[in-house]
Amino acid sequence: MIPSPAPPAAGPAPARRSLWRRYLDIPLIWKMAVALVAGAVAGLAVGEPITVIQPLGEVFLRLLQMLVMPLILLTLIAGVSSLSPARLGRIGAKIMVYYLLTSAVAVVVGLGLGLAAAPGAGLEPPAGGEDPEPAPPVTETLLNIVPDNPFAALAEGNVLAVMFAAVTAGLALAFMRAATDERTAAMGELLARAVEAGVELVFRVVRGVLEYAPVGVFALIAVVLGQTGPQALLPLLELTGVVYGGVGVQVVVYALLLALFRVPVLRFFAAAREAMVMAFVTRSSNGTLPVSTRCAGRMGVDEGVSSFTLPLGATVNMDGTAIYVGAATVFVANVAGVQLSLEQLAMVVLVGVVASIGTAGVPGAGLIMLSLTITQAGLPFAAVALVAGIDAVLDMVRTMCNVTGDLVGTRIVARTEPGMLHDPDEEKEEGAGGGGAAAPGPGTPGGPGPAATAP
Ligand code: ASP
């Protein structure tokens, strides 16, 4: 998977190798952009039969997913062990305030645009409609954050529970390293170095997997558009427009927030674009974590911040999903011919923000949140089936927004925490097996912490 370094060639290199080298030399973002456009065209032109290439996209998703749990566990232990508990608490408080506020703004954007554009008025609800999934009680969601078996949590892919276990281990490791007893401190150091090595290993694999990204991106986008097709999209064009427009508004909100904290906006988006494209095609904030962590490293964000804020954001912060829930609720009400009361609107905002906390960043999670909101607001459920028909197309843009929001918060928190920002690394392209540019950024892991003393 990892491109092997080419041996020095005596005389002209064989054509096959030089083509591969040339492929590696093209910046990843360009390869992904070409694949995105080509995949979209192929999907729309070929239609349903394009689904034969689905395994090509599926394998890409699996390769990314394969990295998520090891990445969260290792980077978080490494990151937390380099922070003081007080600083971790401060980072946690700041990012939670940011996540909750931006999610609330996002639901209001979705509702506002929905009410202004009135999508769905005049459409007929389909007969029937499935019953919504029952929502787990909030206490259960909160209780599940503490794993009774961390290995089971890892195996199940339970992000919040794994984060809890990793933060605990990271804090204990920090205390070990700071111990006055020499033996304990030495063991702590050894363990920290091993974890650091594990982080490096994961990022080497990420880099290899990303060389396959163009094929994966092509297949994923082609299959979604081939399956959905213009026939399904056209009647719901208004709703699609509102959700895409809402994400546009939210991106402006992000730009303003970045500017407010004096973060260079264009440089931010230049460093974030790989993760944005990846989120768009994979429709999974969790699956995008290896790439978003890498992008945060390119922005110069210390791993002490990103290893905590990004996995947390992938689960609890879903601005794009909140926009979608707001807009789609208005759509469902319009199809059913129901006027939304102020009380129902308030309920949508509340459920939109709270429900996202327990929902994992996986494809289609927003549809479950929508079902929940519709039920809570007491609206007829039938029209949700219409939304479900084009959910994948809406999921792409909302996941992109979700991941962008996580990165904006991460960058802002790093900006406000002394020592948590290093020299931005985004200019360097990773190219062929080179060492420097993959995240985490300089000072891996944890920058100024004792773990950064690798020779
Ligand atoms: N797919 C989204 C995510 O992973 C969640 C959603 O369905 O809205 O962030």
Side-chain angles (χ1 to χ4, degrees):
M1 230 176 317
I2 298 172
S4 51
R16 202 171 62 84
R17 176 175 309 135
S18 83
L19 260 184
W20 176 235
R21 286 289 327 167
R22 261 188 262 168
Y23 171 80
L24 292 177
D25 284 343
I26 302 171
L28 182 62
I29 191 71
W30 291 115
K31 289 184 274 198
M32 293 205 307
V34 170
L36 192 71
V37 175
V41 171
L44 288 172
V46 179
E48 188 74 30
I50 198 92
T51 43
V52 288
I53 65 167
Q54 192 155 12
L56 293 178
E58 190 67 25
V59 78
F60 181 53
L61 286 183
R62 282 171 172 262
L63 285 168
L64 286 172
Q65 286 291 353
M66 168 182 94
L67 293 163
V68 171
M69 285 298 137
L71 177 92
I72 295 177
L73 185 72
L74 292 167
T75 56
L76 203 48
I77 294 179
V80 169
S81 72
S82 70
L83 301 177
S84 69
R87 182 182 281 231
L88 183 66
R90 223 171 33 237
I91 292 174
K94 282 183 187 173
I95 201 69
M96 276 316 287
V97 168
Y98 164 88
Y99 283 161
L100 289 177
L101 284 183
T102 50
S103 294
V105 169
V107 198
V108 174
V109 166
L111 273 177
L113 284 184
L115 291 171
L123 276 182
E124 280 295 310
E130 286 165 34
D131 278 345
E133 301 245 344
V138 180
T139 42
E140 194 186 309
T141 306
L142 293 179
L143 214 53
N144 279 343
I145 294 178
V146 184
D148 51 6
N149 178 350
F151 299 103
L154 258 183
E156 285 160 8
N158 183 342
V159 174
L160 291 185
V162 170
M163 282 187 71
F164 185 89
V167 168
T168 321
L171 285 174
L173 183 56
F175 282 116
M176 276 174 81
R177 294 167 81 188
T180 41
D181 163 28
E182 250 175 46
R183 191 165 160 271
T184 312
M187 284 194 301
E189 245 4 271
L190 187 71
L191 200 54
R193 293 292 292 275
V195 173
E196 191 187 346
V199 172
E200 179 62 28
L201 177 84
V202 171
F203 277 108
R204 297 254 157 186
V205 182
V206 170
R207 217 148 59 199
V209 166
L210 284 183
E211 291 308 339
Y212 178 71
V215 181
V217 167
F218 177 90
L220 288 169
I221 194 88
V223 168
V224 167
L225 291 185
Q227 271 174 340
T228 311
Q231 334 67 273
L233 264 176
L234 280 180
L236 301 181
L237 213 54
E238 277 173 331
L239 176 64
T240 313
V242 169
V243 174
Y244 274 69
V247 169
V249 173
Q250 189 73 10
V251 169
V252 174
V253 172
Y254 294 147
L256 292 175
L257 277 174
L258 288 167
L260 191 70
F261 285 89
R262 283 183 283 129
V263 176
V265 176
L266 290 181
R267 274 175 87 175
F268 169 86
F269 282 104
R273 59 194 174 177
E274 247 177 41
M276 291 169 77
V277 174
M278 205 55 82
F280 189 79
V281 295
T282 61
R283 292 182 277 134
S284 168
S285 305
N286 279 6
T288 307
L289 266 175
V291 186
S292 43
T293 310
R294 187 175 130 107
C295 289
R298 287 227 180 117
M299 291 170 196
V301 174
D302 191 279
E303 205 170 71
V305 174
S306 61
S307 66
F308 181 70
T309 56
L310 289 177
L312 186 70
T315 306
V316 310
N317 183 48
M318 299 188 176
D319 298 347
T321 309
I323 291 171
Y324 155 87
V325 167
T329 306
V330 177
F331 171 86
V332 169
N334 284 345
V335 173
V338 178
Q339 184 81 31
L340 282 168
S341 67
L342 214 60
E343 197 185 318
Q344 281 171 318
L345 289 176
M347 173 69 79
V348 175
V349 176
L350 195 72
V351 177
V353 176
V354 175
S356 72
I357 294 178
T359 315
V362 294
L367 191 61
I368 298 172
M369 272 176 62
L370 176 68
S371 314
L372 214 90
T373 316
I374 297 298
T375 323
Q376 296 278 340
L379 290 168
F381 200 70
V384 175
L386 283 176
V387 184
I390 59 156
D391 191 63
V393 174
L394 304 180
D395 201 357
M396 294 193 293
V397 80
R398 64 186 193 237
T399 309
M400 186 192 83
C401 182
N402 294 347
V403 168
T404 311
D406 301 343
L407 278 168
V408 171
T410 299
R411 181 64 179 77
I412 288 177
V413 170
R415 168 81 180 73
T416 62
E417 279 293 316
M420 289 287 114
L421 208 54
H422 310 287
D423 276 343
D425 213 11
E426 68 255 55
E427 306 309 334
K428 289 183 233 160
E429 259 311 324
E430 70 286 353
T444 307
T453 50

